[in-house]
Amino acid sequence: MSNDEFRAAMSRLAAGVVLVTAQEPPLDPDDPTAPGGEDVGMTATAFLSVSLDPPLVMVSLREGSRMDDLLAEQPLWAVSVLTESQRHIAGRFAMKGRISDRLLFEDISYVRGDITGAPLVGGALATLECRTEQTVTAGDHTLVIGRVLTAELPSADGGPLMYFKGRYRQLG
């Protein structure tokens, strides 16, 4: 089996689309005048609920990606479940060779999580704040299992943004 055959087969599995976010720690936590850490975000389709008790979720991160490196040192992160009208957000944070994350967040409505400080996208179907419980290396990815610390339902408008056959789609 080739990588292309595997990729084609897996593209037939519809997946919800989320934005995973975290805030880099300050460059020097002991110096209050040091610049704060930058917000980081990435689009993910490999995200799922793992357990109800305790509440756990999992996201799969490409090994060596900026988010993989950040979550190796920053245990607090957040997830925004995107709506079908937030396709532009998913596309923006999925770009390779993209501009700085600071600019990507610039015109997106968001609030900061009370616990994580990570951006939570305004109008998302659901938002979660998480703390890493466990990481597992799996091939060329890292599976990050997080305990859900908060779960909010900021919007009931619209359906979920889906990813199927290599494209963003709407349900129904």
Side-chain angles (χ1 to χ4, degrees):
M1 175 191 60
S2 71
N3 287 350
D4 288 341
E5 289 169 326
F6 179 64
R7 181 175 285 122
M10 295 313 299
S11 77
R12 295 333 193 250
L13 178 63
V17 182
V18 301
L19 183 68
V20 179
T21 57
Q23 189 176 50
E24 287 181 322
L27 295 176
D28 184 355
D30 297 327
D31 180 0
T33 63
E38 189 172 285
D39 292 326
V40 177
M42 66 157 268
T43 302
T45 56
F47 175 78
L48 56 97
S49 169
V50 173
S51 168
L52 185 60
D53 186 19
L56 299 174
V57 293
M58 185 198 75
V59 64
S60 180
L61 307 174
R62 184 176 36 82
E63 191 174 73
S65 68
R66 184 166 184 204
M67 188 63 74
D68 183 41
D69 292 344
L70 176 56
L71 294 190
E73 66 178 77
Q74 164 62 285
L76 298 174
W77 45 284
V79 174
S80 298
V81 179
L82 299 180
T83 68
E84 58 199 4
S85 66
Q86 294 174 319
R87 177 184 302 212
H88 66 287
I89 295 172
R92 179 183 294 189
F93 284 91
M95 290 187 306
K96 292 185 179 175
R98 63 192 195 204
I99 57 177
S100 81
D101 284 45
R102 180 180 49 78
L103 295 174
L104 295 177
F105 280 105
E106 201 166 76
D107 64 347
I108 294 175
S109 170
Y110 67 87
V111 297
R112 293 209 172 272
D114 290 335
I115 296 173
T116 63
L120 301 168
V121 176
L125 288 176
T127 59
L128 307 168
E129 291 187 272
C130 305
R131 181 181 56 242
T132 300
E133 292 276 312
Q134 181 180 4
T135 60
V136 178
T137 300
D140 59 0
H141 277 65
T142 302
L143 307 179
V144 180
I145 299 168
R147 179 180 295 259
V148 178
L149 305 173
T150 67
E152 302 288 331
L153 305 174
S155 177
D157 295 336
L161 181 60
M162 304 296 294
Y163 195 72
F164 180 69
K165 290 187 176 179
R167 293 183 33 216
Y168 297 117
R169 311 222 183 212
Q170 296 178 345
L171 190 61

